[in-house]
Amino acid sequence: QVQLVESGGGLAPPGGSLNLSCVASERNPNYWLMGWHRQAPGKQRELVADITKLGTVMYGDPVKGRFSISTDNAKNTVFLHMHDLKPEDTAVYYCYLRQSQEYWGQGTQVTVSS
């Protein structure tokens, strides 16, 4: 019954910024991992970033130094702060929660274009 609600997608110019958020209806209090994958047109889905309850983070190579992930544990929410956006960041971004099972959000479109 876990649901993930994403928000914050949209259109940004190259070099601009966007912030995504993902709210989980519930999480395992002992362990969870949340983050985003993305899928660009004509490409396979790839890791963007994820974070665990303990604060361990991982970033995909294309976004290192430009994106950052953070969490508000009290609100079961994870944020993705996207800076210095590039056209190749254009993709559908999917939030996910991993614990005993894996759950995915519906995806939110990010378009980087002038």
Side-chain angles (χ1 to χ4, degrees):
Q1 295 184 343
V2 173
Q3 290 190 309
L4 304 175
V5 180
E6 301 148 310
S7 62
L11 177 66
S17 299
L18 286 173
N19 295 308
L20 306 184
S21 64
C22 178
V23 181
S25 60
E26 59 183 89
R27 295 189 297 199
N28 186 323
N30 296 317
Y31 174 80
W32 51 260
L33 178 149
M34 287 184 68
W36 281 267
H37 283 199
R38 70 185 184 185
Q39 188 164 26
K43 296 186 177 181
Q44 291 187 299
R45 189 172 297 192
E46 64 181 6
L47 171 71
V48 178
D50 60 38
I51 187 168
T52 72
K53 177 185 177 181
L54 297 178
T56 303
V57 300
M58 180 177 294
Y59 295 98
D61 286 340
V63 309
K64 288 180 178 178
R66 299 188 297 117
F67 293 7
S68 64
I69 189 168
S70 63
T71 183
D72 183 341
N73 288 334
K75 298 181 179 180
N76 290 347
T77 301
V78 170
F79 305 94
L80 183 68
H81 311 280
M82 309 167 66
H83 303 286
D84 191 23
L85 285 163
K86 303 177 183 297
E88 52 263 41
D89 295 319
T90 296
V92 178
Y93 286 68
Y94 297 92
C95 179
Y96 63 95
L97 165 65
R98 184 183 302 155
Q99 39 193 43
S100 60
Q101 300 183 61
E102 192 171 272
Y103 306 91
W104 292 84
Q106 78 285 354
T108 185
Q109 177 71 45
V110 171
T111 301
V112 183
S113 176
S114 59

